[in-house]
Amino acid sequence: QVELVESGGGLVQAGGSLRLSCTLSGRTFSYYAMGWFRQAPGKEREFVSIISRSGDYTFYADSVKGRFTISRDDAKNTVYLQMNSLKPEDTAVYYCACSQSHSLPEWSGGYDYWGQGTQVTVSS
């Protein structure tokens, strides 16, 4: 059974930091590129970041570039999203997902499995 479990969300003031974690079980972690998406109330799910299987390549949405950092630890089957300089507009449910695609997709349809999400709320 495949499972992706996110953690690390919470309430933080603007300018603060959070680190999200997502652990994959039931599949070989190193076979997947790992991505983060988010969905704010009343909005569509949007791409945040992706890291390749090797960890050599990372991509970010323009809205988070320079503030968020994605990383992975294959020994722990875990992907991380370090979020700094948080803004109220970063408030959303954050989802991790895994993809076997070699194209490092920024669209949600390119992913095979999804986590349940973790809430991030940034107060002004």
Side-chain angles (χ1 to χ4, degrees), residues 89-123:
E89 51 263 44
D90 294 318
T91 295
V93 177
Y94 283 71
Y95 299 90
C96 72
C98 58
S99 173
Q100 288 191 300
S101 172
H102 290 276
S103 63
L104 300 183
E106 297 183 12
W107 64 95
S108 59
Y111 289 78
D112 303 289
Y113 301 102
W114 291 82
Q116 299 278 10
T118 185
Q119 176 70 47
V120 172
T121 303
V122 184
S123 63

Side-chain angles (χ1 to χ4, degrees), residues 49 60 62 65:
S49 182
Y60 299 91
D62 288 343
K65 204 171 292 182

